[in-house]
Amino acid sequence: MSRADELLEKINGLKNSHVKKLVDMRMEEFKQNGGKASREIFKELCFCILTANFNAERSIEIQKKIDDGFLTLPISQLTEELRKLGHRYPQTRARYIVEARRYADSLKDVISRFKDSSLLREWLTKNIKGIGFKEASHFLRNIGYNDLAIIDFHIINILSKYGLTDRPKTMTKKKYLEIESILRKIAKLSDISLAELDLFLWYLETGKVLK
């Protein structure tokens, strides 16, 4: 059995375990997020801005505590809140969030104009500071898109462990799309979406199914 086949076997094992129910619950949660008002969707974007080079679980806790403050707090106060809550880059992330507020009321309309999720991802990376390919993919997955890959170090670790990619020194757009293509093939062979695959792979690496 090849290393790739081993990984497929592990994924299929998870599909037939209690983890499948956890993944299904998350997928339903993401779908519901996409139906919310623009300002609620904006708060999810803020969460994804926080996750760049920072811990996802801690970002979830910060999002819960700040909540509407993402929409209302002055930059100095938002910076202080992020600092108190232990974010690694409080000043920079506060600035990105405050600058992104110009889209808080129109974000849902902007999203609805795009029929192609890849083009929407490109728009996000070009128009929202602090949002790269990973963060844009994460945001779109969390509001119901299921055809983009969220490539972080957990995913790289798994693919590298099974000989499917090398660990890149820097994540260029070209490299991101190459790895996304590998993940797309794995998802197809596993008969699941890229969004579901991400959750299963995250579970393999961390033992958790987070958003």
Side-chain angles (χ1 to χ4, degrees):
M1 182 187 289
S2 73
R3 299 290 282 144
D5 287 335
E6 280 182 47
L7 178 58
L8 288 170
E9 194 172 80
K10 281 186 181 291
I11 293 165
N12 284 323
L14 291 178
K15 282 170 61 183
N16 294 304
S17 74
H18 72 285
V19 179
K20 175 70 163 64
K21 187 176 180 182
L22 298 175
V23 167
D24 288 346
M25 285 169 63
R26 282 290 182 208
M27 293 298 291
E28 181 57 32
E29 178 189 320
F30 299 149
K31 185 179 173 184
Q32 288 178 13
N33 284 345
K36 291 178 180 176
S38 189
R39 287 185 150 223
E40 291 300 312
I41 290 173
F42 175 76
K43 287 192 281 186
E44 197 61 34
L45 179 69
C46 294
F47 160 72
C48 293
I49 289 173
L50 293 181
T51 62
N53 298 309
F54 190 63
N55 180 276
E57 285 183 88
R58 290 177 71 188
S59 296
I60 290 168
E61 288 307 309
I62 291 171
Q63 182 190 23
K64 285 176 183 172
K65 286 173 180 169
I66 293 182
D67 196 29
D68 284 346
F70 287 132
L71 294 155
T72 60
L73 290 177
I75 189 166
S76 58
Q77 202 175 334
L78 182 56
T79 300
E80 187 53 34
E81 284 298 311
L82 290 174
R83 183 177 286 115
K84 280 196 299 187
L85 293 168
H87 199 282
R88 191 177 174 188
Y89 307 104
Q91 201 165 8
T92 309
R93 297 299 177 263
R95 189 175 79 249
Y96 290 160
I97 288 166
V98 169
E99 286 183 20
R101 282 179 187 164
R102 66 184 185 273
Y103 295 111
D105 291 314
S106 62
L107 189 56
K108 192 165 185 174
D109 289 336
V110 170
I111 289 166
S112 70
R113 292 205 300 265
F114 287 86
K115 303 303 176 202
D116 184 319
S117 58
S118 294
L119 292 177
L120 174 53
R121 177 169 66 182
E122 288 270 4
W123 184 91
L124 289 164
T125 63
K126 288 173 181 172
N127 290 277
I128 311 284
K129 280 188 183 174
I131 291 286
F133 262 63
K134 177 185 78 74
E135 293 77 28
S137 302
H138 194 174
F139 167 63
L140 292 172
R141 195 280 307 275
N142 284 9
I143 60 167
Y145 287 79
N146 62 15
D147 58 344
L148 300 169
I150 307 162
I151 302 168
D152 63 6
F153 72 92
H154 291 298
I155 302 301
I156 296 288
N157 281 346
I158 290 177
L159 294 181
S160 174
K161 187 161 64 178
Y162 287 93
L164 294 167
T165 190
D166 297 323
R167 285 188 177 87
K169 288 177 183 174
T170 55
M171 184 61 81
T172 61
K173 176 183 172 181
K174 182 183 176 188
K175 191 64 181 176
Y176 196 102
L177 294 175
E178 277 177 18
I179 296 172
E180 185 172 63
S181 177
I182 293 166
L183 289 164
R184 208 177 288 283
K185 287 172 188 169
I186 295 169
K188 189 174 182 182
L189 288 168
S190 302
D191 196 27
I192 53 178
S193 68
L194 271 173
E196 290 168 304
L197 176 63
D198 177 76
L199 294 172
F200 282 121
L201 292 180
W202 244 78
Y203 183 85
L204 275 179
E205 185 70 4
T206 68
K208 296 170 183 175
V209 179
L210 301 177
K211 72 169 184 173

